[in-house]
Amino acid sequence: MPTDDGPISLGMYISGAFVPSASGREIAVRNPKNGALVGRVAEGDAADIEAAVAAAEAAFPVWSGLSGAERGDILHRAAAILKMRLPEIVGIEVDQIGRPRREMAAQLARLPEWFAYFGAVARTHEDTVPPFGAGYLNYTRRVPLGVVGHVTPWNHPLLILTKKVAPSLAAGNTMVVKPSELAPITPLLLGEVFKEAGVPDGAYNVVPGFGGTAGLALTSHPRIKKIDLTGGTETGKAVAALAGKNLTKVAAELGGKASVVVFDDTDVDRAVSAALFAAFIATGQTCVQGARLLVQRSIHDEVVARLAGRARAIRLGDPQDMATQMGPLVSARQREMTERYVAIGLAEGATLAAGGKRPEGAAFADGFFHEPTIFTNVTNDMRIAQEEIFGPVVCVLPFDTEDEAVALANGTEFGLAMSIWTRDIGRAHRVAHRMQAGIVWINDHHRIDPASPWGGFKMSGIGRENGLIAFEDYTQIQNVIVNLSDAPFDWYAEDGTVKRYS
Ligand code: TXE
């Protein structure tokens, strides 16, 4: 039953302390499974963003003044502390967003790896000594950007934040985080982890709030050196346009419409498990969701029949129950979006092979549940095949040839991720190289690693998370050119010598 006595109450996190917002307003975080209050957090706006930016500026000399090895040690401690706090944090993530405990326990268990990896990068990163003219020593230094802003969504609240915070801290930046209004609790608690690990007060600040107020204030702030955003494509465009006015660097991981491409040499059971995993994890609310299942025609009907049976058998229920395989959508709005697209798909002439409605029963009455849904008889020009639904809906399209598979897979405005399923090693790589996507899995889907670049082509974004590239994107290069000669040089002297300046 919904209750107004949620146990969690947190302020904004600024300069190492939880503080109320200037307005005194709060955001109520509600559990999508039943509307119960999970907690209240302070709701910040422009004034609070200003205070957080000032705190981050004050901490910048302290944090950036440490050596890479010292920052690395602190990040390793953060990894260990986070690991110890995971049981509590997993429970809160499940309550905030409704994703099943079995998913969040598996996902969050990996987060310490990000701090371990970027801690190691901070300790070991080497600069370069590019060639220069004779008589010169020439070297580069990577220096932090300063105060950076992270704007994060609700679908993987702590994973996505960690992907941004670990490299930016490792590189010596300080930061202001504007988490999703739907899932601000765990980003706030990360402040406690950092404090205990030895991150100086003010290096990591969190201002919960809405996109149009706190988000706008952060992304248009003239003293923010980089905005790293994960969200919808329209949000990304708006944020990049505003940031451009201040020449603020932008990284954006945006929408997707990933294809899962199954060639007919794939074992059908394997193909079906792949499609289920790709499409329905996170109730489909993930940017790399395998929302388009492209199946070679000779196995198409068998794959669809088995997929529909398996989708109907997915256990919906209380996300805190380890037996539950699919939870509710995060909000009424996300479920309405799914329902709207189901109606659009039917109107466009697609056929429902499974799902397409809310589950029945008292257990689902107060939550935003929706059945896993499969559309067949889909053509690539349909809106359900083109637009990001961000719900438990997969469209199945048949193909005949490799060329047709590539054309279909590339035939959307998005380019975040794709997966290819085949036993033919030449074809796997050939097709991968033709994919217009930042991430291509071969015989897998959804896999991620802190060392492995993550981000999109086309309208799926700019910049990359993870890997050395993410660390380097949180720095700017300084080139130091040293003349080793003490010989006199006077350009304007008419002394008959041949002079050079390049
Ligand atoms: O995302 P928003 P929403 C897609 C997905 C989903 C749609 C809308 O298709 O259905 O976006 O979801 C902040 N200035 N993805 O509305 O609004 C906002 O407060 C500054 C894909 O939840 O993009 C939140 O912190 N900030 C995606 C963050 O941006 C602004 C994950 C993302 O919210 C802002 C989430 C503004 N003008 C949604 N407007 C993915 N890539 O995984 C919003 N925000």
Side-chain angles (χ1 to χ4, degrees):
M1 275 296 287
T3 158
D4 273 341
D5 298 311
I8 298 170
S9 175
L10 289 170
M12 309 178 299
Y13 189 74
I14 298 183
S15 290
F18 290 102
V19 293
S21 59
S23 69
R25 280 199 301 271
E26 289 185 324
I27 297 174
V29 179
R30 295 197 175 272
N31 193 324
K33 76 178 178 189
N34 59 8
L37 191 73
V38 179
R40 292 185 184 283
V41 302
E43 178 196 330
D45 55 29
D48 307 294
I49 291 289
E50 191 57 47
V53 171
E57 284 176 331
F60 180 68
V62 184
W63 182 241
S64 62
L66 296 182
S67 68
E70 288 167 322
R71 285 199 298 271
D73 284 349
I74 291 172
L75 291 180
H76 282 290
R77 277 204 293 279
I81 295 162
L82 179 59
K83 201 169 183 174
M84 283 171 46
R85 287 197 64 176
L86 277 180
E88 165 207 355
I89 287 175
V90 166
I92 297 169
E93 288 266 273
V94 172
D95 282 344
Q96 282 187 130
I97 59 169
R99 286 186 54 186
R101 177 170 274 274
R102 59 157 66 186
E103 285 182 17
M104 297 323 280
Q107 179 176 92
L108 298 188
R110 297 211 44 217
L111 297 197
E113 291 175 44
W114 265 259
F115 294 109
Y117 172 77
F118 283 104
V121 171
R123 172 177 281 276
T124 58
H125 193 268
E126 294 181 7
D127 287 305
T128 63
V129 187
F132 209 84
Y136 283 84
L137 167 65
N138 180 45
Y139 62 93
T140 59
R141 299 175 63 229
R142 287 211 170 255
V143 296
L145 299 172
V147 178
V148 298
H150 301 321
V151 180
T152 57
W154 43 264
N155 54 340
H156 314 275
L158 217 46
L159 168 65
I160 289 175
L161 179 59
T162 297
K163 287 196 288 177
K164 301 183 189 308
V165 170
S168 51
L169 276 179
N173 302 281
T174 57
M175 64 214 56
V176 178
V177 176
K178 206 301 282 173
S180 165
E181 52 274 26
L182 297 175
I185 297 173
T186 47
L188 286 164
L189 294 179
L190 195 58
E192 293 181 344
V193 171
F194 289 145
K195 195 178 181 84
E196 196 180 337
V199 174
D201 291 348
Y204 174 84
N205 306 281
V206 185
V207 179
F210 294 92
T213 52
L216 185 66
L218 179 61
T219 53
S220 58
H221 197 288
R223 301 200 306 279
I224 291 287
K225 303 299 183 213
K226 175 175 173 178
I227 293 293
D228 196 339
L229 162 100
T230 299
T233 293
E234 291 313 311
T235 306
K237 288 186 200 170
V239 164
L242 275 181
K245 292 192 171 171
N246 297 314
L247 291 183
T248 302
K249 209 171 158 172
V250 175
E253 205 267 39
L254 306 171
K257 192 82 180 176
S259 289
V260 174
V261 182
V262 181
F263 288 94
D264 61 7
D265 59 348
T266 308
D267 172 74
V268 169
D269 282 336
R270 191 173 194 211
V272 168
S273 317
L276 286 168
F277 180 58
F280 296 130
I281 285 290
T283 320
Q285 304 164 112
T286 164
C287 47
V288 295
Q289 179 205 22
R292 295 152 47 89
L293 177 62
L294 314 185
V295 188
Q296 204 155 16
R297 200 173 300 275
S298 64
I299 58 168
H300 172 273
D301 293 353
E302 197 183 349
V303 167
V304 167
R306 288 207 220 167
L307 186 65
R310 291 287 310 274
R312 283 188 211 105
I314 288 177
R315 272 193 308 279
L316 276 75
D318 181 349
Q320 289 290 4
D321 183 344
M322 264 315 243
T324 293
Q325 296 176 318
M326 183 181 280
L329 287 129
V330 75
S331 62
R333 184 174 156 235
Q334 286 304 131
R335 182 167 65 176
E336 278 161 21
M337 192 112 98
T338 297
E339 292 179 329
R340 198 174 334 131
Y341 275 105
V342 169
I344 289 170
L346 291 171
E348 287 177 312
T351 307
L352 272 176
K357 58 181 178 50
R358 300 178 183 188
E360 282 154 22
F364 306 114
D366 294 324
F368 307 122
F369 291 89
H370 193 280
E371 287 180 354
T373 297
I374 301 168
F375 271 118
T376 55
N377 291 320
V378 177
T379 54
N380 203 33
D381 56 345
M382 290 182 183
R383 288 182 63 192
I384 53 168
Q386 291 293 324
E387 297 173 17
E388 186 172 46
I389 300 174
F390 229 58
V393 181
V394 59
C395 298
V396 192
L397 291 89
F399 70 87
D400 290 302
T401 65
E402 191 176 306
D403 281 350
E404 198 188 340
V406 170
L408 273 177
N410 288 337
T412 80
E413 64 170 343
F414 297 111
L416 187 55
M418 310 222 185
S419 64
I420 301 163
W421 296 79
T422 180
R423 306 306 305 160
D424 179 334
I425 191 168
R427 176 162 64 191
H429 290 280
R430 200 164 56 234
V431 171
H433 296 184
R434 295 175 70 192
M435 293 298 195
Q436 294 161 1
I439 304 155
V440 180
W441 293 284
I442 294 173
N443 295 328
D444 217 329
H445 203 99
H446 283 307
R447 303 298 173 189
I448 187 169
D449 193 276
S452 184
W454 180 278
F457 288 9
K458 293 157 71 178
M459 297 312 277
S460 290
I462 46 175
R464 291 292 178 273
E465 297 175 323
N466 298 346
L468 284 180
I469 189 172
F471 174 86
E472 291 178 348
D473 270 359
Y474 273 104
T475 65
Q476 51 194 336
I477 286 191
Q478 183 182 59
N479 190 186
V480 181
I481 302 159
V482 189
N483 178 5
L484 299 176
S485 167
D486 289 331
F489 173 78
D490 185 345
W491 181 261
Y492 294 99
E494 300 293 349
D495 55 9
T497 60
V498 178
K499 302 190 167 76
R500 62 182 287 273
Y501 62 88
S502 63

